[in-house]
Amino acid sequence: MAETKNLTCIGCPLGCSIRVEMEHDKITDISGYTCRRGEVYARTEVTHPTRIVTSTVCVENGNIPVVSVKTETDIPKEKIMDVMNCIKKLKIDAPVHTGDVILENAGGTGVNLIATKEVMIKTK
């Protein structure tokens, strides 16, 4: 049975409208992309979608109460809630530096959760 999926590419700022034709869960045609990233995005999105997770983690004794974090690379979309459940339980101590690994193997994905901001120790 033939199926058509219409996507808006997020691979670059152009936001191309991509059309993916599938038959029996196999891609038969991809059209509408203007760069290689669009084709790669469309193939991944219809076969095994992935996302980068961004959130915040509580910081004890920091000059701000939370630090922004993200997964180092994208993870399978179905693992997002596993990662978020791990993040909810985290509390870390200041100082925190950009790029610090906050949690290894977040949610069993094999991907580390890293800090994307600096948080210094609170001064009195």
Side-chain angles (χ1 to χ4, degrees), residues 55-108:
S55 189
T56 57
V57 170
C58 292
V59 178
E60 298 285 322
N61 302 312
N63 61 332
I64 56 175
V66 295
V67 64
S68 55
V69 295
K70 72 176 195 82
T71 52
E72 231 169 356
T73 60
D74 50 347
I75 62 164
K77 192 174 175 181
E78 67 270 11
K79 298 292 265 174
I80 290 172
M81 289 313 297
D82 295 339
V83 172
M84 290 306 296
N85 287 333
C86 291
I87 290 171
K88 281 194 310 192
K89 299 173 189 170
L90 288 176
K91 270 193 183 172
I92 59 174
D93 289 319
V96 181
H97 304 285
T98 303
D100 282 357
V101 173
I102 304 303
L103 178 64
E104 292 181 353
N105 189 24

Side-chain angles (χ1 to χ4, degrees), residues 4-48:
T4 301
K5 295 189 179 192
N6 294 302
L7 308 169
T8 300
C9 183
I10 59 172
C12 77
L14 290 177
C16 296
S17 294
I18 301 176
R19 182 181 178 111
V20 181
E21 301 289 336
M22 299 183 71
E23 195 161 330
H24 303 293
D25 292 329
K26 293 193 185 212
I27 298 170
T28 57
D29 187 50
I30 301 175
S31 60
Y33 59 91
T34 56
C35 68
R36 175 88 174 115
R37 287 184 283 182
E39 181 184 8
V40 170
Y41 169 76
R43 285 186 187 283
T44 302
E45 189 64 16
V46 298
T47 59
H48 194 247

